[in-house]
Amino acid sequence: MGYGGCKMSDKTNSKTKFIFITGGVVSSLGKGLASASLAALLQARGFKVRLRKLDPYLNVDPGTMNPCQHGEVYVTDDGTEADLDLGHYERFSGIPATKYDSVTSGKIYQRVLDKERHGDYLGATIQVIPHVTNEIKAFILGNITDEDFVLCEIGGTVGDIEGQPYLESIRQLAYELGRDRTMFVHLTLLPYIPTAGELKTKPTQHSVKQLQEYGIQPDIILCRSQIEIPQNERKKIALFCNVKEECVIAALDAKSIYHVPLAYSAEGMDYQVCKYFGLETKTKPDLDKWKHIEEVMQNPEGEVKIAIVGKYQLQEAYKSLAEALTHGGLANHFKVKIKWLDAEDVEKQGPDELLNDVSGILVPGGFGNRGTEGKIAAAKYAREHNIPYLGICFGMQMAVIETMRNVAGIKNANSSELSDDCEAVVGLMTEWDKDGAKEIRHKGGDLGGTMRLGAYPTVLDEKSKVYQIYGCKNISERHRHRYEVNIKYEPVLKKSGMVIVGKSPDGKLPEIVERPEHPWFIGVQFHPELKSKPFAPHPLFVAFVKAAIDNSRLI
Ligand code: GLN
């Protein structure tokens, strides 16, 4: 089951300090970004950090949740389907997240119930306190090595019923580990009332009161606000919420998420954290890399427009993708402007009118029938008009289907995910290798956690464009899919101008396709966006954005 579940004191390094981040007033305030930014600042002061997310909902993981509600499902190297905040953590800290860094109530309860069935609690009545809370504490304390700080973000908002065991657990941990090893950061909102011309502190006061009812006294209050927070308001929050005035920290709306660490540092966030724990604060944090990003972002050499032809209305569903495009832009000193297109609109209106002003087309991952014909039309448009195309996962499958239908002439080519009555050029994977063992799947099996998930190796063809882009033959990328292009179509595809240039090491699974005759047309079965970072932009995105820039110069 996997997240350790070790006992309280057996693994925890006594120097590790814990920072718990909670949120109040409203959801979507950006706790994930706040946590990631604080972690980046502590790193900039030379500390080793680790970030963890605790989600109170009852799903075992977000893998089966609708992306329109919950946003992107982030996938780690070890194949954990996790909350998108883990993506922020990785992008800001550069530390790959693992299964030990993401938990939900579903997972916690599953573990408690497994133990109950196994007889581990024999004789006891199983209760939220202590059995569920002990499991939460074991998750927080488990699998820590030599980290100076572990930052734990509690999902949801203070007052949510599902969140209560988490608040109780972190309260207990503060008691058990001592306040010199634990800190509470609470993120709230100061609404601005234009008619009164005022920022309101009352919701923050209520939210902190509620935290205090659970026995938690915040040490830092991070206040999201549209405008500067006047000293008077800071004083009020400090006095009524029982925190030091200098620990009421403004988190103003930022022009870019990559500005947030600089903004927090200017407000004294990392200084206050170090001071709280009695750590050296004489030297300033090294923020050069963040300043460099800021500099490049503010002075781009130009702008390039790239279409994302998706189907989930919520942009959060494509979080890592949008970030990876930004990173690709940064590497080229260009601003990437995303034209968000609904695949159903492309289907209805046709691609000409919607895609004629973009310099690159990206068809992202997806599931199910809705919008597929629009995605296929977008791939066709890119192929016929020599527009740079990047197909990711479903976007690669759609490009293959397009070539099979419109170039190879197999009119009923499709994926067995989408039709039972078709020539299944993309079919269900029933068997594949994982670390030397076989993974087996059946039609109609469980949907949760059963895809081909996490890092798998791909071997590149040395004559390909992707080989030039990656600069090496063996790569590893993160996957999340159930269907796969059938390798038996390789010769037909080749005849139709599409070459399989990346395969699994056993040669059975196509991983990358490209069109050698096209200026830039690449489809990948994996998700490169998950590994892109502002300081290490993913080579595929750097190359794709560059191709789009070159293309825009031709327009
Ligand atoms: N639905 C497709 C599959 O399962 C693609 C998945 C994806 O794009 N992540 O294979």
Side-chain angles (χ1 to χ4, degrees):
M1 243 292 314
Y3 52 79
C6 63
K7 290 214 183 65
M8 293 270 292
S9 52
D10 60 359
K11 288 249 175 68
T12 310
N13 185 332
S14 63
K15 87 175 174 60
T16 307
K17 298 173 180 11
F18 294 84
I19 302 178
F20 299 110
I21 299 106
T22 55
V25 182
V26 291
S27 58
S28 305
L29 283 181
K31 279 198 304 293
L33 270 177
S35 309
S37 299
L38 176 55
L41 290 177
L42 293 169
Q43 280 183 317
R45 284 184 177 267
F47 295 111
K48 185 165 178 194
V49 300
R50 179 126 186 202
L51 287 137
R52 291 184 160 164
K53 177 84 194 271
L54 295 93
D55 273 307
Y57 52 71
L58 284 166
N59 304 60
V60 172
D61 60 45
T64 51
M65 288 184 185
N66 186 339
C68 296
Q69 269 177 38
H70 192 260
E72 158 187 285
V73 176
Y74 192 74
V75 183
T76 59
D77 277 330
D78 65 13
T80 305
E81 293 178 289
D83 187 84
L84 60 76
D85 279 327
L86 267 78
H88 291 312
Y89 300 169
E90 280 201 22
R91 285 188 283 274
F92 277 61
S93 73
I95 302 167
T98 70
K99 62 184 171 189
Y100 302 116
D101 300 320
S102 164
V103 84
T104 65
S105 292
K107 271 205 178 93
I108 295 281
Y109 274 87
Q110 201 171 54
R111 187 160 174 85
V112 169
L113 297 177
D114 283 349
K115 282 187 177 172
E116 189 274 332
R117 292 291 79 188
H118 192 245
D120 293 3
Y121 306 119
L122 225 47
T125 305
I126 314 305
Q127 293 176 297
V128 173
I129 303 171
H131 300 97
V132 169
T133 48
N134 278 353
E135 216 49 67
I136 295 172
K137 289 195 290 181
F139 168 80
I140 293 171
L141 298 175
N143 299 287
I144 294 169
T145 52
D146 57 345
E147 284 83 358
D148 299 299
F149 289 99
V150 173
L151 286 82
C152 294
E153 179 193 345
I154 312 293
T157 310
V158 166
D160 297 345
I161 288 179
E162 316 89 87
Q164 288 181 14
Y166 292 85
L167 297 180
E168 170 61 12
S169 302
I170 60 176
R171 183 199 66 74
Q172 287 184 14
L173 278 178
Y175 173 81
E176 286 166 346
L177 298 172
R179 292 295 268 128
D180 53 340
R181 283 184 63 199
T182 49
M183 173 181 234
F184 295 111
V185 175
H186 191 53
L187 180 68
T188 71
L189 172 73
L190 301 189
Y192 176 68
I193 310 294
T195 43
E198 275 178 22
L199 282 177
K200 292 293 179 192
T201 65
K202 193 71 92 190
T204 296
Q205 294 176 42
H206 282 306
S207 175
V208 172
K209 283 244 151 59
Q210 203 158 9
L211 257 188
Q212 288 165 340
E213 276 174 28
Y214 295 114
I216 294 174
Q217 169 61 52
D219 303 301
I220 286 184
I221 301 182
L222 199 50
C223 303
R224 286 296 311 272
S225 168
Q226 274 173 281
I227 58 163
E228 288 290 342
I229 307 174
Q231 207 53 37
N232 226 10
E233 266 59 39
R234 290 184 195 240
K235 276 200 166 77
K236 222 155 110 183
I237 295 169
L239 181 64
F240 296 140
C241 299
N242 223 11
V243 295
K244 293 193 183 116
E245 208 177 307
E246 59 274 24
C247 290
V248 177
I249 290 179
L252 304 185
D253 295 351
K255 28 188 189 297
S256 142
I257 57 169
Y258 299 116
H259 177 69
V260 175
L262 292 175
Y264 281 8
S265 195
E267 276 279 319
M269 176 87 172
D270 46 313
Y271 177 81
Q272 292 303 337
V273 171
C274 291
K275 201 167 145 206
Y276 174 91
F277 287 114
L279 299 164
E280 185 67 61
T281 51
K282 281 191 204 110
T283 47
K284 290 214 160 99
D286 177 5
L287 298 172
D288 284 358
K289 62 178 190 179
W290 293 101
K291 286 183 188 148
H292 173 71
I293 287 199
E294 169 106 329
E295 166 79 25
V296 178
M297 279 194 141
Q298 295 209 330
N299 304 294
E301 285 164 22
E303 190 175 285
V304 62
K305 202 194 281 185
I306 292 179
I308 293 185
V309 184
K311 72 171 186 182
Y312 307 121
Q313 291 303 320
L314 189 72
Q315 287 179 12
E316 294 278 287
Y318 302 108
K319 192 81 220 164
S320 295
L321 206 57
E323 292 310 318
L325 283 171
T326 302
H327 306 159
L330 277 171
N332 286 289
H333 287 237
F334 257 65
K335 182 177 163 53
V336 175
K337 194 161 182 251
I338 298 175
K339 181 170 183 180
W340 296 96
L341 286 177
D342 187 329
E344 282 187 292
D345 291 338
V346 178
E347 194 171 323
K348 278 184 225 129
Q349 294 172 38
D352 300 287
E353 173 185 330
L354 294 171
L355 290 169
N356 67 9
D357 63 341
V358 301
S359 307
I361 298 173
L362 194 157
V363 175
F367 295 82
N369 247 313
R370 187 170 63 80
T372 49
E373 293 305 321
K375 291 179 181 182
I376 290 172
K380 180 168 189 271
Y381 187 87
R383 175 175 62 77
E384 290 179 342
H385 293 78
N386 283 333
I387 298 173
Y389 177 88
L390 177 57
I392 293 185
C393 205
F394 205 54
M396 165 193 175
Q397 297 173 0
M398 294 300 108
V400 168
I401 291 168
E402 192 281 313
T403 284
M404 291 304 251
R405 283 188 193 172
N406 301 323
V407 186
I410 304 173
K411 290 290 165 222
N412 67 340
N414 211 336
S415 165
S416 56
E417 176 183 1
L418 311 172
S419 163
D420 289 329
D421 179 25
C422 66
E423 172 115 15
V425 294
V426 178
L428 181 72
M429 276 179 295
T430 50
E431 211 180 282
W432 67 87
D433 282 341
K434 179 157 181 80
D435 306 328
K438 281 248 171 300
E439 291 273 332
I440 313 267
R441 298 290 184 272
H442 302 285
K443 202 169 179 229
D446 276 358
L447 291 183
T450 55
M451 280 187 260
R452 183 169 176 250
L453 289 166
Y456 281 90
T458 295
V459 183
L460 306 183
D461 178 342
E462 286 177 40
K463 293 186 293 299
S464 64
K465 185 174 260 146
V466 280
Y467 177 77
Q468 280 166 26
I469 291 172
Y470 277 94
C472 57
K473 195 172 161 63
N474 295 295
I475 60 163
S476 168
E477 293 280 5
R478 296 184 191 171
H479 293 67
R480 181 172 186 256
H481 61 123
R482 210 181 294 285
Y483 297 84
E484 178 82 45
V485 174
N486 191 328
I487 193 84
K488 80 173 187 196
Y489 292 99
E490 186 172 19
V492 191
L493 273 175
K494 195 166 183 185
K495 256 194 228 142
S496 312
M498 186 177 263
V499 185
I500 299 174
V501 291
K503 290 180 189 164
S504 56
D506 63 6
K508 288 186 184 156
L509 302 176
E511 291 275 9
I512 309 176
V513 295
E514 62 183 48
R515 296 193 140 273
E517 302 305 321
H518 187 285
W520 209 99
F521 194 107
I522 293 175
V524 292
Q525 186 54 77
F526 44 78
H527 290 273
E529 72 275 21
L530 301 176
K531 294 220 305 200
S532 186
K533 299 179 183 66
F535 314 110
H538 193 288
L540 270 178
F541 283 89
V542 178
F544 175 54
V545 172
K546 179 168 184 314
I549 294 168
D550 293 346
N551 178 44
S552 69
R553 288 190 171 130
L554 295 175
I555 291 176

